[in-house]
Amino acid sequence: MKVVDIIQCDPEVPIGVFGELLAEWRLPFRIVRLYVGDALPVGADAVIVLGGTMGVHDEALHPLLRPLKEFLARRLIAGTPLLGVCLGGQLLASLAGGVVSSNCRREQGLVEVSLSVSGLSDPLFSDIGQRFQAFQWHNDSFTIPSVALHLASSIACPGQAFRAGNAWGLQFHPEVDRDLVAAWSGKTATHTTLTAEFATVETTHRAMARQLLANFLTIANQHT
Protein backbone atom coordinates (compact mmCIF):
# COMPACT_ATOMS: atom_id res chain seq x y z
CA MET A 1 0.00 0.00 0.00
CA LYS A 2 1.36 3.40 -0.97
CA VAL A 3 1.86 6.13 1.62
CA VAL A 4 -0.60 9.03 1.46
CA ASP A 5 0.76 12.48 2.27
CA ILE A 6 -1.94 14.68 3.77
CA ILE A 7 -1.18 18.39 3.56
CA GLN A 8 -2.75 20.44 6.35
CA CYS A 9 -2.55 24.21 5.89
CA ASP A 10 -4.58 25.33 8.89
CA PRO A 11 -4.90 23.98 12.45
CA GLU A 12 -8.64 24.64 12.30
CA VAL A 13 -9.07 22.37 9.26
CA PRO A 14 -7.78 18.93 10.29
CA ILE A 15 -8.00 15.53 8.66
CA GLY A 16 -11.30 14.61 10.33
CA VAL A 17 -13.02 11.42 9.22
CA PHE A 18 -10.26 10.68 6.71
CA GLY A 19 -7.80 10.12 9.54
CA GLU A 20 -10.17 7.79 11.36
CA LEU A 21 -10.73 5.76 8.20
CA LEU A 22 -7.04 5.46 7.36
CA ALA A 23 -6.35 4.30 10.92
CA GLU A 24 -9.26 1.84 10.78
CA TRP A 25 -7.90 0.41 7.53
CA ARG A 26 -4.35 0.40 8.95
CA LEU A 27 -3.03 2.25 5.94
CA PRO A 28 0.18 4.31 6.01
CA PHE A 29 -0.15 8.08 5.92
CA ARG A 30 1.75 11.19 6.94
CA ILE A 31 0.28 14.52 7.98
CA VAL A 32 2.36 17.46 6.77
CA ARG A 33 1.42 20.42 8.98
CA LEU A 34 2.60 23.39 6.97
CA TYR A 35 1.41 25.89 9.58
CA VAL A 36 4.07 24.65 12.03
CA GLY A 37 6.82 24.46 9.43
CA ASP A 38 6.73 20.80 8.37
CA ALA A 39 8.65 20.25 5.15
CA LEU A 40 6.81 19.16 2.04
CA PRO A 41 7.91 15.75 0.77
CA VAL A 42 10.45 15.60 -2.03
CA GLY A 43 8.36 12.98 -3.80
CA ALA A 44 4.96 11.49 -3.11
CA ASP A 45 2.89 8.42 -3.95
CA ALA A 46 -0.46 10.14 -3.38
CA VAL A 47 -1.44 13.48 -1.85
CA ILE A 48 -4.55 14.88 -0.17
CA VAL A 49 -4.61 18.66 0.32
CA LEU A 50 -7.04 19.84 2.99
CA GLY A 51 -8.82 23.17 3.31
CA GLY A 52 -7.97 26.35 5.17
CA THR A 53 -9.30 29.74 6.17
CA MET A 54 -6.93 31.50 3.76
CA GLY A 55 -7.57 32.06 0.07
CA VAL A 56 -5.56 30.87 -2.91
CA HIS A 57 -4.28 34.39 -3.56
CA ASP A 58 -3.26 35.17 0.05
CA GLU A 59 0.45 34.44 -0.32
CA ALA A 60 1.50 37.70 1.35
CA LEU A 61 -0.41 36.81 4.51
CA HIS A 62 0.29 33.08 4.29
CA PRO A 63 3.78 32.43 2.85
CA LEU A 64 3.24 28.67 3.06
CA LEU A 65 1.07 28.92 -0.05
CA ARG A 66 3.93 29.60 -2.46
CA PRO A 67 5.95 26.43 -1.79
CA LEU A 68 2.72 24.45 -1.65
CA LYS A 69 1.73 25.69 -5.10
CA GLU A 70 5.19 24.84 -6.44
CA PHE A 71 4.97 21.35 -4.90
CA LEU A 72 1.51 20.72 -6.37
CA ALA A 73 2.58 22.02 -9.79
CA ARG A 74 5.40 19.47 -9.82
CA ARG A 75 3.04 16.70 -8.72
CA LEU A 76 0.57 17.65 -11.46
CA ILE A 77 3.29 17.34 -14.09
CA ALA A 78 4.46 14.05 -12.59
CA GLY A 79 0.91 12.64 -12.67
CA THR A 80 0.82 11.91 -8.94
CA PRO A 81 -2.71 11.08 -7.72
CA LEU A 82 -3.94 14.27 -6.00
CA LEU A 83 -7.12 15.03 -4.10
CA GLY A 84 -7.82 18.63 -3.11
CA VAL A 85 -10.57 19.56 -0.65
CA CYS A 86 -12.00 23.11 -0.59
CA LEU A 87 -8.83 25.26 -0.50
CA GLY A 88 -6.97 22.21 -1.82
CA GLY A 89 -9.42 21.94 -4.70
CA GLN A 90 -9.13 25.65 -5.41
CA LEU A 91 -5.33 25.40 -5.51
CA LEU A 92 -5.52 22.53 -8.00
CA ALA A 93 -8.08 24.39 -10.10
CA SER A 94 -5.87 27.48 -10.24
CA LEU A 95 -2.78 25.48 -11.18
CA ALA A 96 -4.72 23.65 -13.92
CA GLY A 97 -5.90 26.91 -15.48
CA GLY A 98 -9.18 27.62 -13.67
CA VAL A 99 -10.10 30.91 -12.00
CA VAL A 100 -10.52 31.16 -8.25
CA SER A 101 -12.67 34.09 -7.11
CA SER A 102 -12.95 35.48 -3.59
CA ASN A 103 -16.36 35.95 -1.96
CA CYS A 104 -18.06 34.17 -4.81
CA ARG A 105 -20.77 31.48 -4.63
CA ARG A 106 -20.54 31.16 -0.86
CA GLU A 107 -22.09 28.07 0.74
CA GLN A 108 -22.40 27.03 4.39
CA GLY A 109 -24.07 23.88 5.62
CA LEU A 110 -25.49 20.85 3.88
CA VAL A 111 -25.98 21.16 0.14
CA GLU A 112 -27.14 18.68 -2.46
CA VAL A 113 -24.36 17.89 -4.92
CA SER A 114 -25.18 16.36 -8.30
CA LEU A 115 -22.80 14.37 -10.46
CA SER A 116 -22.51 15.14 -14.14
CA VAL A 117 -22.41 12.45 -16.82
CA SER A 118 -18.62 12.55 -16.51
CA GLY A 119 -18.90 12.33 -12.74
CA LEU A 120 -21.10 9.25 -12.90
CA SER A 121 -18.39 7.39 -14.81
CA ASP A 122 -15.44 8.77 -12.87
CA PRO A 123 -13.68 6.30 -10.53
CA LEU A 124 -13.54 8.81 -7.66
CA PHE A 125 -17.34 8.81 -7.43
CA SER A 126 -17.90 5.11 -8.02
CA ASP A 127 -20.81 3.76 -5.92
CA ILE A 128 -21.64 7.17 -4.42
CA GLY A 129 -24.83 7.96 -6.30
CA GLN A 130 -25.85 10.73 -8.66
CA ARG A 131 -27.02 13.05 -5.87
CA PHE A 132 -25.75 13.27 -2.31
CA GLN A 133 -25.69 15.67 0.63
CA ALA A 134 -22.29 17.26 1.28
CA PHE A 135 -21.16 19.76 3.89
CA GLN A 136 -19.96 23.10 2.53
CA TRP A 137 -17.94 25.84 4.21
CA HIS A 138 -16.49 28.24 1.67
CA ASN A 139 -16.58 31.87 0.60
CA ASP A 140 -14.43 31.42 -2.53
CA SER A 141 -15.02 29.20 -5.53
CA PHE A 142 -13.32 27.96 -8.69
CA THR A 143 -14.23 27.64 -12.33
CA ILE A 144 -13.60 24.32 -14.04
CA PRO A 145 -10.25 24.39 -15.90
CA SER A 146 -10.60 24.00 -19.66
CA VAL A 147 -8.37 20.92 -19.56
CA ALA A 148 -10.52 19.26 -16.89
CA LEU A 149 -13.68 17.18 -16.73
CA HIS A 150 -16.56 18.78 -14.82
CA LEU A 151 -17.68 16.10 -12.38
CA ALA A 152 -20.18 17.69 -9.97
CA SER A 153 -22.17 20.83 -9.22
CA SER A 154 -24.65 22.36 -6.82
CA ILE A 155 -27.34 24.95 -7.53
CA ALA A 156 -25.39 27.84 -6.00
CA CYS A 157 -21.89 26.68 -6.92
CA PRO A 158 -21.39 24.85 -10.24
CA GLY A 159 -17.74 24.09 -9.46
CA GLN A 160 -18.07 21.26 -6.95
CA ALA A 161 -15.67 18.73 -8.46
CA PHE A 162 -13.37 18.30 -11.44
CA ARG A 163 -10.66 16.00 -12.72
CA ALA A 164 -7.52 17.10 -14.52
CA GLY A 165 -5.36 14.08 -15.31
CA ASN A 166 -4.71 12.35 -12.00
CA ALA A 167 -5.82 15.36 -9.94
CA TRP A 168 -9.29 15.71 -8.45
CA GLY A 169 -10.51 18.97 -6.94
CA LEU A 170 -13.50 19.17 -4.60
CA GLN A 171 -15.27 22.24 -3.25
CA PHE A 172 -17.26 20.34 -0.62
CA HIS A 173 -15.92 18.80 2.60
CA PRO A 174 -16.32 15.01 2.73
CA GLU A 175 -13.97 14.77 5.72
CA VAL A 176 -16.06 16.60 8.32
CA ASP A 177 -17.65 15.05 11.38
CA ARG A 178 -20.03 16.48 13.97
CA ASP A 179 -17.23 18.02 16.02
CA LEU A 180 -15.77 19.87 13.03
CA VAL A 181 -19.17 21.17 11.99
CA ALA A 182 -19.75 22.41 15.53
CA ALA A 183 -16.33 24.07 15.68
CA TRP A 184 -16.65 25.85 12.33
CA SER A 185 -20.21 27.02 12.88
CA GLY A 186 -19.70 27.92 16.55
CA LYS A 187 -19.36 31.66 15.96
CA THR A 188 -22.28 31.94 13.55
CA ALA A 189 -25.93 32.70 14.19
CA THR A 190 -26.88 29.43 12.52
CA HIS A 191 -24.73 27.24 14.79
CA THR A 192 -27.61 25.31 16.35
CA THR A 193 -29.37 24.75 13.03
CA LEU A 194 -26.23 23.63 11.19
CA THR A 195 -25.14 21.15 13.86
CA ALA A 196 -28.66 19.74 14.20
CA GLU A 197 -29.03 19.33 10.44
CA PHE A 198 -25.66 17.59 10.13
CA ALA A 199 -26.50 15.22 12.97
CA THR A 200 -29.44 13.91 10.94
CA VAL A 201 -27.22 12.92 8.00
CA GLU A 202 -23.92 12.18 9.72
CA THR A 203 -24.14 8.44 9.05
CA THR A 204 -24.79 8.82 5.33
CA HIS A 205 -22.25 11.65 5.05
CA ARG A 206 -19.61 9.43 6.63
CA ALA A 207 -20.53 6.62 4.25
CA MET A 208 -20.00 9.00 1.33
CA ALA A 209 -16.61 10.02 2.74
CA ARG A 210 -15.65 6.38 3.25
CA GLN A 211 -16.50 5.46 -0.33
CA LEU A 212 -14.82 8.52 -1.83
CA LEU A 213 -11.60 7.98 0.13
CA ALA A 214 -11.60 4.26 -0.67
CA ASN A 215 -12.02 5.12 -4.35
CA PHE A 216 -9.12 7.58 -4.24
CA LEU A 217 -6.87 5.03 -2.54
CA THR A 218 -7.78 2.45 -5.19
CA ILE A 219 -6.83 4.94 -7.89
CA ALA A 220 -3.55 5.71 -6.10
CA ASN A 221 -2.63 2.06 -5.75
CA GLN A 222 -3.30 1.41 -9.41
CA HIS A 223 -1.06 4.28 -10.42
CA THR A 224 2.41 3.30 -11.64
Side-chain angles (χ1 to χ4, degrees), residues 137-183:
W137 201 259
H138 66 95
N139 293 313
D140 303 351
S141 62
F142 56 76
T143 62
I144 305 301
S146 60
V147 298
L149 293 174
H150 190 178
L151 303 181
S153 62
S154 67
I155 292 175
C157 184
Q160 287 292 336
F162 70 90
R163 177 184 182 179
N166 282 326
W168 285 262
L170 309 178
Q171 186 57 76
F172 61 92
H173 282 277
E175 83 287 6
V176 298
D177 55 20
R178 195 181 309 192
D179 291 339
L180 272 177
V181 171

Side-chain angles (χ1 to χ4, degrees), residues 65-179:
L65 287 171
R66 183 178 295 276
L68 176 57
K69 290 177 181 180
E70 293 171 352
F71 168 77
L72 292 175
R74 292 193 297 272
R75 294 300 96 205
L76 276 169
I77 293 171
T80 303
L82 304 172
L83 177 64
V85 177
C86 199
L87 171 65
Q90 293 165 7
L91 286 165
L92 292 177
S94 178
L95 289 168
V99 176
V100 179
S101 301
S102 301
N103 299 309
C104 180
R105 303 187 185 281
R106 176 178 184 265
E107 293 174 307
Q108 288 189 344
L110 287 169
V111 172
E112 184 177 80
V113 173
S114 300
L115 297 182
S116 66
V117 172
S118 295
L120 284 169
S121 61
D122 191 88
L124 185 68
F125 291 101
S126 178
D127 295 323
I128 286 180
Q130 184 175 7
R131 293 182 177 84
F132 56 91
Q133 293 288 310
F135 191 78
Q136 311 275 355
W137 201 259
H138 66 95
N139 293 313
D140 303 351
S141 62
F142 56 76
T143 62
I144 305 301
S146 60
V147 298
L149 293 174
H150 190 178
L151 303 181
S153 62
S154 67
I155 292 175
C157 184
Q160 287 292 336
F162 70 90
R163 177 184 182 179
N166 282 326
W168 285 262
L170 309 178
Q171 186 57 76
F172 61 92
H173 282 277
E175 83 287 6
V176 298
D177 55 20
R178 195 181 309 192
D179 291 339

